[in-house]
Amino acid sequence: MHRKGHVGASLVVYAPFGFLVTALASIELGAVGAAGVASLAMVPDLDMRVPFVKHRGITHTVWFALLVGVAFGAVGLAVGLQTGAVEALLFGGVAFLFGAVTIVSHLLADALTPMGIRPYAPVRDTEYTFDLFTAANPLANYGLLGLGGVVVAVALVAGEAVPV
């Protein structure tokens, strides 16, 4: 998929988390989370700019998703430590999910294409593809973007309606 498709996929995958963030905190924080995942949706494709790194290689694996999650989790933990141990664990856990889910959304979108992904490489080289659309298909990319926008908007509005 291209940028628009990946942004849409990140919003679809984030929507349940956005609902919870909005219900437990605020719609503003839920919207910030949505903007955050959308802005990070293309991180795995940085491999196209790094010499000697194969496209849809290591940056398109669950291992990379875990690495990004751990990095985000460490930052969240450090931020939370300023207010206490419970907050540190909460911030760390939420940040881990934020980072890992953003990368996983990218993998899911790429699995829609004929090229597919090998999410467990190099441990297991099984390729996964739904072979539904080419990455350059504008209808698929715009459709996924539109779907993501609608799904995350509904999730945030529904989260705001939940009495706390």
Side-chain angles (χ1 to χ4, degrees):
M1 302 305 290
H2 287 181
R3 179 178 302 280
K4 289 172 181 59
H6 283 301
V7 168
S10 71
L11 294 174
V12 168
V13 173
Y14 170 75
F17 300 102
F19 170 83
L20 289 173
V21 168
T22 300
L24 297 173
S26 70
I27 194 164
E28 292 83 8
L29 199 54
V32 166
V37 296
S39 68
L40 296 171
M42 294 301 292
V43 166
D45 281 346
L46 291 175
D47 62 2
M48 293 190 293
R49 297 173 185 232
V50 179
F52 310 111
V53 176
K54 181 182 169 203
H55 181 52
R56 292 197 187 181
I58 193 67
T59 62
H60 286 69
T61 65
V62 296
W63 320 120
F64 185 70
L66 289 172
L67 177 69
V68 171
V70 167
F72 275 66
V75 171
L77 191 66
V79 169
L81 275 175
Q82 297 173 3
T83 55
V86 173
E87 289 84 357
L89 291 175
L90 179 64
F91 275 71
V94 168
F96 171 84
L97 283 173
F98 180 86
V101 163
T102 300
I103 302 306
V104 168
S105 73
H106 187 102
L107 303 183
L108 292 171
D110 278 348
L112 297 174
T113 69
M115 186 176 175
I117 57 168
R118 292 180 12 248
Y120 305 107
V123 175
R124 193 170 73 208
D125 280 336
T126 306
E127 184 178 289
Y128 296 88
T129 178
F130 292 105
D131 195 6
L132 296 175
F133 313 103
T134 62
N137 184 317
L139 189 59
N141 280 286
Y142 279 105
L144 201 48
L145 179 61
L147 177 66
V150 169
V151 169
V152 82
V154 168
L156 297 181
V157 170
E160 189 176 41
V162 173
V164 179

